[in-house]
Amino acid sequence: SVWMRAYYARIHTEYVAAKEAAGENVSNIPADKFVQRLKSNEQALIKKHGCRMVRFQVQVKGTQVNLQPVIIR
């Protein structure tokens, strides 16, 4: 869906921007591979938690950039 594509694009943009701000090289984070990995993690977490969906938030702690899963029941 259009909404989902926009969501994945936004998460990728936020993640890359945060990594760049932390001084990391972001040339090795292509959008297609990133989204593929995100969807894979999403499915694994949905299965693990038996939830309806999982969304991710970009979190920055110092120079550490992480994707924090948000479980939606």
Side-chain angles (χ1 to χ4, degrees):
S1 77
V2 173
W3 184 86
M4 290 303 288
R5 276 197 300 276
Y7 161 75
Y8 290 121
R10 180 177 56 81
I11 295 297
H12 177 258
T13 302
E14 287 177 13
Y15 184 78
V16 168
K19 286 279 202 188
E20 241 175 354
E24 289 191 41
N25 176 3
V26 294
S27 63
N28 62 344
I29 311 176
D32 56 345
K33 287 269 193 304
F34 178 86
V35 170
Q36 207 174 5
R37 199 168 320 126
L38 208 58
K39 286 180 177 179
S40 172
N41 289 344
E42 229 171 67
Q43 291 311 310
L45 287 166
I46 286 171
K47 208 169 173 179
K48 180 181 174 185
H49 295 284
C51 57
R52 195 165 47 90
M53 67 173 63
V54 174
R55 289 291 164 257
F56 292 92
Q57 291 179 328
V58 176
Q59 283 197 333
V60 181
K61 287 183 183 149
T63 58
Q64 280 274 332
V65 179
N66 293 303
L67 287 171
Q68 182 67 36
V70 178
I71 305 301
I72 300 170
R73 301 222 171 262

